[in-house]
Amino acid sequence: MKTIKLAPVLLIMVFFMDVNTSKATQTTGATHIAYTVTFPEAQAHYADIEMNISGLHQNGLDLKMPVWTPGSYLVREFAKNIESFNVSANGKTLASPKTSKNCWHVNTAGLSAINVKYRVYCFEISVRTSFVDASHGFLSTTGIFIYPDKMLHLPSTVHIVPYKGWTKVSTSLDMVNNDPFTRYSPNFDILFDSPIEIGNQDVFGFDAAGVKYEVCMVGGGNYDKERLKTDMAKIVETETNVFGENPNKHYVFIVHNYLRGGGGLEHLSSTTLGASRDSYATESGYRNFLGLVAHEHFHLWNVKRLRPFVLGPFDYDKENYTTDLWIAEGFTAYYQNRVLRHANLVTPDIFLTTVAAEMSVMENQPGAKIQPLAEASYDAWIKAYRPNENSINSTISYYDKGAEVATLLDLEIINDSKGKYCLNDVMKYMYNTYYKGKKRGYKDIEFKHGLEKFAGKNLDDFYAKYVTGLAPIDYNHYLGYAGYKVTDELVSTNDPTLGITFAANNPKKIISSVLRGSAAWIDGINVNDELTAVDGAPVTDAATILNGKKPGDKITVTVLRDGLPLTLPVTLLRNNKVNFKVEALPNPTPQQLVVQKKWLGL
């Protein structure tokens, strides 16, 4: 194993539990796995991996690379980034033929140890993929570390030799012998759930709920550390109160700040977030970041521990299907707003405005009338992460509709229990019963029974309408429990629309989507058509093409389709988009005030 001598001025922020030599060293005769990661060509986006396996006793060994990363439900084929794969023993190269897209077979008869070397190309910016350049290295571990088949239970060590000038490592993996560049994982599920950031990140920390938190900021930004420490701690405390305990000893936020960034990926004891580096100074930008923090941190309970039955132990070779992503992600999307409200980080008015806006987003998607929520969860692998031009018409987000269903269930439980219970009680009960008690994930019917326990009634009809069915959501019925109603601010408008959108950042008016049931849909305007004229007048400003028109008007639309001109007669229809607003009902009853107080955390 190579080592590196660190300069005396090296600054390391330490928020990790240390692993002593005896814990990191395996029992004599057992299989030992040790990785060394180097970056000889970081500027060209490569990480070089050396894997030493000793204590072998079998005649053959399959070495595998995961094809997906938990929390992101798409087969990403990480093996596509591997180059220069080589296996040797006793100074001699061993044959290592590929037996499948992500598997190499090695004949280990008579061998007790092998050495594996390979390179990984790391140049995809996202929270779920690895990225390396001269400024820093982010290792999304499922796409970095090959593992020996049927040995996912084995521990391993990872030694990092940083690129020139890099001085810090941020990860939730424990240190070995107080060395921040050598980390220990008790098994591969933990290793694959522990991203690693190496570079010169800005690191600060805070304590909350009895846990040490590290925040690792990459890429700069106009953030206020002290404000973040205070507000992130409030989020942690509020979410811990939902479940009654925080199961971590330390937790790491890895935040990648870009010119324009977003998204997050949860892990057992850490999360990776994407953010826009200059958005922290605006109230809306800062609030959006806190919402992302609340969402991903809530996942340390919901999905990482309290999880659908099939999501762990993981099969890293293929899809792991579940109909319950609407609970894992949708409930979490609901809680990110609920937590900000209950932590007093947003006002009740901002919370209700957010609730209304999210209702509008879902209702304006035609796919909400086509794809049931449970199906959206199951088909995430082939639809949600592979959207096309027609996805808006044929699918619904299990995040969006799941959050709406969580809203309804929270209000139902609060109302039916007269303020005694809420969705928090369901989450805590399920966490204690299945994660802590039964030490397994829940099945569909078991989560439904958990909801019924606190709602005090059968939810077959609710599920048939909103989970497995396509019934329109009766928002006013549920909001009425808390003394509110929803109104559509566009209900009295009579604006015409073609029902199309245009590709962004293109001077040509290229159509990128056509809404189901719209004038363009009915009269044959297609995605990828270039809109050139309306009623013979050249199109220069897409925003004004229907000025002076009204629903029912017949117009001619000229497009270029595959380079050929085509003129289509179109009958304009009314724009049916909604823009919801949540308003208080007059003279709320005592029961409504009880629900309102519990729901809004007043």
Side-chain angles (χ1 to χ4, degrees), residues 30 40 210 238 314 316 493 500 513:
T238 302
F314 296 108
Y316 295 102
T493 61
I500 59 177
S513 68

Side-chain angles (χ1 to χ4, degrees), residues 119-134:
R119 314 189 81 198
V120 183
Y121 183 66
C122 308
F123 195 56
E124 184 177 350
I125 293 177
S126 81
V127 296
R128 64 193 71 84
T129 51
S130 298
F131 181 88
V132 173
D133 67 9

Side-chain angles (χ1 to χ4, degrees), residues 368-379:
K369 299 177 177 65
I370 301 298
Q371 186 183 47
L373 184 54
E375 181 183 301
S377 298
Y378 196 85
D379 282 349

Side-chain angles (χ1 to χ4, degrees), residues 529-530 532 558-567:
D529 286 351
E530 179 187 349
T532 58
T558 303
V559 299
L560 282 177
R561 182 174 296 172
D562 192 30
L564 300 176
L566 177 66
T567 299

